[in-house]
Amino acid sequence: MQFNWNNPYPTVRMPVMGRNIVSTSHPYAAQAGLKIIQQGGNAIDAAIAAAAALMIVEPVSNGLGSDCFAIVWDGEQLHGLNSSGVSPATWNLDYFASKYGKEGNGLAKRPVRGWDSVTVPGALAGWQALHERFGSLPLADLLQPAIEIAEKGHAVAPIVAHKWAAATSELASQPGFAQTFMQNGRAPACGEMFYFPQAAQALKRLATVGLRDFYEGEIAKSICAFAKEHGAAMTLSDLANYRPDWVGTISTKVQGYDVHEIPPNGQGIGALIAIGIVEQLELAKYAVDSVESQHLQIEAMKLAFADVYRYVADPRSMEVSPEQMLNPGYLAKRAKLIDPQKATSFSFGLPNTGGTIYLSAADEEGRMISFIQSNYMGFGSGVVEPNWGISFQNRGYGFSSDPQSPNVVAGNKRPFHTIIPAFLTKEVNGKTVPQMSFGVMGGDMQPQGHLQTLLRMLVYKQQPQAACDAPRWKVNRDFSLDVEANMNPETVKGLVEKGHILKKV
């Protein structure tokens, strides 16, 4: 790829080149990963070390009770890991209706926070699966940087401090939250030291006896005792029975490259649908930041979301397959629904039947990993097991209460998931060659970020830093639009004139 290395957007960053790279949202986590590579570890070892460190320095976004996904290039081929957790076995619509009542539409109420939003945490099982298959250093070495940060403390970063403070009023009453994350009766201020001895003890134990202790040993017993104390459904068998899945990847072509995502229950397929639709639309004939280019991308994303929200669920419950949703003929039909002159409110189609952290690492031997880990909303469920410092995700809120939905809540089932790692490859002389591991953070923004950043690089040849700095738009669930404040006012005006409903600028 011959990029245009000019950057037309305001930025304080420059591209970084290197034989070994660990890219994260926090310098301590990046340093943890690089330290492991310097000790002889590989990119996958580095990712586990960075992921552990991020649980300490960015507890708003992830913790020991998170889920994770990964796409790994092992030097020869691509692997996809789904380590999102399943629901407790006793969850069903009657469980929630009897406990919380029903909404005005007759559907069972389900809490956004608290124990009844927690599915089995998959992150540590994901680390184990990655380490067993690709790791080169002992697990204890990989967890040591995170243990040191937790014990010695770290000065809380500005963005983390802001998000931390914003969450405390809602979550202070959740079991274990104030005890763990409001140690002085409040969130720590920017630059204030935060010590996390409970998590350090947990990581030390896991380094000594193995990660399965979280699911079958003393830590698992503590989790379930805490759940029982607060009337939750999580049991030892729920934890012990959990295993992550190697699921491969699904892909579509764009400009001669192959874009890879993890298959459902995640929303990565949404990025692939939108890309497949845009490929039908001759996007390159419009300027990169023009109204016309942005309009076509937005409409493609809306079409993708219409199908994603209707069909994506635990793959065992889906009515259509990813292959059917990505069928080129079907996507060509969907592309024809786009009006170049105006915004449209799309419904789902009928395919032919038959709080998050992202990190990436690459090493000089050619291994690469695209990794994402999340508690979902800020601090997830808000529930924290106090003895071990385990903050739990609230992925259970991703289920539907509609009995007709393939994503309806049920026992031992994965909910619709928002976190999605991605990867780019290219066929060269009949051989698959890795090009880029990539991803973004931010709920429903993730497939939209994949779409916009990739198209800027592959269609418009913008260099990666410029593609990241460029102003972005976001399609909301009601198909209204948010745009970043630095988007050209004339572009924003043109989108409004085409009928796009602006919710936030």
Side-chain angles (χ1 to χ4, degrees), residues 44 71-78 366-368 423 425 432 434:
I44 294 81
I71 299 176
V72 177
W73 177 262
D74 66 3
E76 298 292 335
Q77 60 181 322
L78 214 54
R367 288 174 288 256
M368 301 166 69
F423 206 94
T425 62
T432 300

Side-chain angles (χ1 to χ4, degrees), residues 56 64 150 176 179-181 183 194-204 384-390:
I56 309 303
L64 291 166
Q179 178 181 344
T180 307
F181 292 123
Q183 294 174 358
F194 174 68
Y195 302 88
F196 206 170
Q198 308 97 314
Q201 286 302 113
L203 290 170
K204 283 182 177 179
V384 187
E385 196 287 321
N387 298 318
W388 302 103
I390 301 165

Side-chain angles (χ1 to χ4, degrees), residues 1-3 5 255 257 424 435 457-459 461-462:
M1 173 67 69
Q2 294 299 314
F3 290 119
W5 287 98
Q255 302 293 300
Y257 292 80
L424 190 71
Q435 303 293 304
M457 285 189 283
L458 300 184
V459 175
K461 310 300 188 244
Q462 288 191 324

Side-chain angles (χ1 to χ4, degrees), residues 180-409:
T180 307
F181 292 123
M182 300 172 66
Q183 294 174 358
N184 296 311
R186 55 170 175 78
C190 176
E192 187 174 355
M193 294 295 289
F194 174 68
Y195 302 88
F196 206 170
Q198 308 97 314
Q201 286 302 113
L203 290 170
K204 283 182 177 179
R205 178 169 178 81
L206 294 166
T208 302
V209 303
L211 292 168
R212 284 305 298 180
D213 191 77
F214 187 93
Y215 299 92
E216 299 173 1
E218 291 304 312
I219 293 179
K221 292 176 183 177
S222 293
I223 291 171
C224 292
F226 194 57
K228 185 177 181 180
E229 178 185 345
H230 294 279
M234 189 79 67
T235 65
L236 274 173
S237 61
D238 289 326
L239 292 170
N241 291 334
Y242 177 72
R243 297 293 187 280
D245 293 324
W246 291 102
V247 294
T249 63
I250 53 177
S251 65
T252 196
K253 288 192 175 293
V254 55
Q255 302 293 300
Y257 292 80
D258 293 293
V259 187
H260 299 264
E261 302 272 359
I262 297 289
N265 56 311
Q267 63 173 342
I269 193 171
L272 301 183
I273 292 171
I275 288 167
I277 290 172
V278 168
E279 278 288 272
Q280 317 278 333
L281 301 177
E282 299 181 4
L283 194 70
K285 69 182 181 181
Y286 304 109
V288 61
D289 290 309
S290 65
V291 174
E292 292 80 8
S293 176
Q294 302 306 305
H295 169 71
L296 293 178
Q297 293 175 56
I298 291 165
E299 294 296 276
M301 198 70 244
K302 286 160 62 178
L303 280 164
F305 275 145
D307 279 1
V308 165
Y309 296 149
R310 171 61 180 84
Y311 295 116
V312 171
D314 186 311
R316 296 169 296 178
S317 303
M318 287 178 61
E319 301 166 8
V320 296
S321 69
E323 292 76 18
Q324 290 162 347
M325 296 175 73
L326 293 172
N327 180 276
Y330 173 66
L331 296 184
K333 290 180 182 177
R334 297 291 276 169
K336 290 178 181 178
L337 298 176
I338 294 177
D339 186 333
Q341 303 306 320
K342 66 178 183 180
T344 304
S345 181
F346 299 109
S347 181
F348 57 86
L350 293 173
N352 293 326
T353 56
T356 301
I357 64 90
Y358 174 79
L359 67 89
S360 181
D363 62 41
E364 61 184 337
E365 296 179 353
R367 288 174 288 256
M368 301 166 69
I369 179 169
S370 180
F371 181 93
I372 198 158
Q373 179 172 278
S374 175
N375 266 355
Y376 193 20
M377 301 175 186
F379 285 111
S381 65
V383 175
V384 187
E385 196 287 321
N387 298 318
W388 302 103
I390 301 165
S391 58
F392 294 94
Q393 36 82 337
N394 60 331
R395 284 293 170 184
Y397 188 63
F399 282 117
S400 171
S401 290
D402 182 355
Q404 302 304 314
S405 170
N407 188 43
V408 64
V409 64

Side-chain angles (χ1 to χ4, degrees), residues 267 355-356 376 418-420 440-447 474:
Q267 63 173 342
T356 301
Y376 193 20
T418 58
I419 60 173
I420 50 173
V440 298
M441 300 175 285
D444 294 339
M445 184 61 205
Q446 292 177 53
K474 174 178 176 286

Side-chain angles (χ1 to χ4, degrees), residues 1-240:
M1 173 67 69
Q2 294 299 314
F3 290 119
N4 176 356
W5 287 98
N6 294 323
N7 190 344
Y9 313 109
T11 185
V12 295
R13 300 179 179 91
M14 296 293 286
V16 176
M17 317 292 185
R19 290 189 177 91
N20 299 291
I21 290 285
V22 180
S23 177
T24 80
S25 53
H26 197 290
Y28 280 7
Q31 290 170 18
L34 285 172
K35 181 178 181 181
I36 291 302
I37 291 179
Q38 290 163 0
Q39 291 175 359
N42 61 36
I44 294 81
D45 293 321
I48 295 170
L54 282 163
M55 288 183 170
I56 309 303
V57 297
E58 293 192 19
V60 178
S61 301
N62 67 144
L64 291 166
S66 289
D67 283 350
C68 73
F69 294 81
I71 299 176
V72 177
W73 177 262
D74 66 3
E76 298 292 335
Q77 60 181 322
L78 214 54
H79 307 266
L81 177 69
N82 182 335
S83 199
S84 61
V86 299
S87 54
T90 56
W91 275 17
N92 56 39
L93 289 175
D94 289 339
Y95 173 87
F96 288 99
S98 62
K99 197 167 183 179
Y100 299 100
K102 295 185 177 182
E103 305 283 1
N105 57 10
L107 300 182
K109 292 181 180 179
R110 291 178 301 107
V112 180
R113 309 282 191 169
W115 262 115
D116 280 329
S117 67
V118 180
T119 53
V120 174
L124 300 192
W127 295 359
Q128 181 177 27
L130 289 166
H131 186 253
E132 288 178 348
R133 194 162 186 173
F134 304 112
S136 60
L137 291 182
L139 178 68
D141 291 358
L142 309 188
L143 300 185
Q144 188 57 37
I147 293 169
E148 290 180 4
I149 297 169
E151 287 185 329
K152 295 180 180 179
H154 74 283
V156 176
I159 294 176
V160 176
H162 173 76
K163 293 181 177 179
W164 202 321
T168 54
S169 61
E170 179 184 0
L171 301 178
S173 62
Q174 291 295 342
F177 183 87
Q179 178 181 344
T180 307
F181 292 123
M182 300 172 66
Q183 294 174 358
N184 296 311
R186 55 170 175 78
C190 176
E192 187 174 355
M193 294 295 289
F194 174 68
Y195 302 88
F196 206 170
Q198 308 97 314
Q201 286 302 113
L203 290 170
K204 283 182 177 179
R205 178 169 178 81
L206 294 166
T208 302
V209 303
L211 292 168
R212 284 305 298 180
D213 191 77
F214 187 93
Y215 299 92
E216 299 173 1
E218 291 304 312
I219 293 179
K221 292 176 183 177
S222 293
I223 291 171
C224 292
F226 194 57
K228 185 177 181 180
E229 178 185 345
H230 294 279
M234 189 79 67
T235 65
L236 274 173
S237 61
D238 289 326
L239 292 170

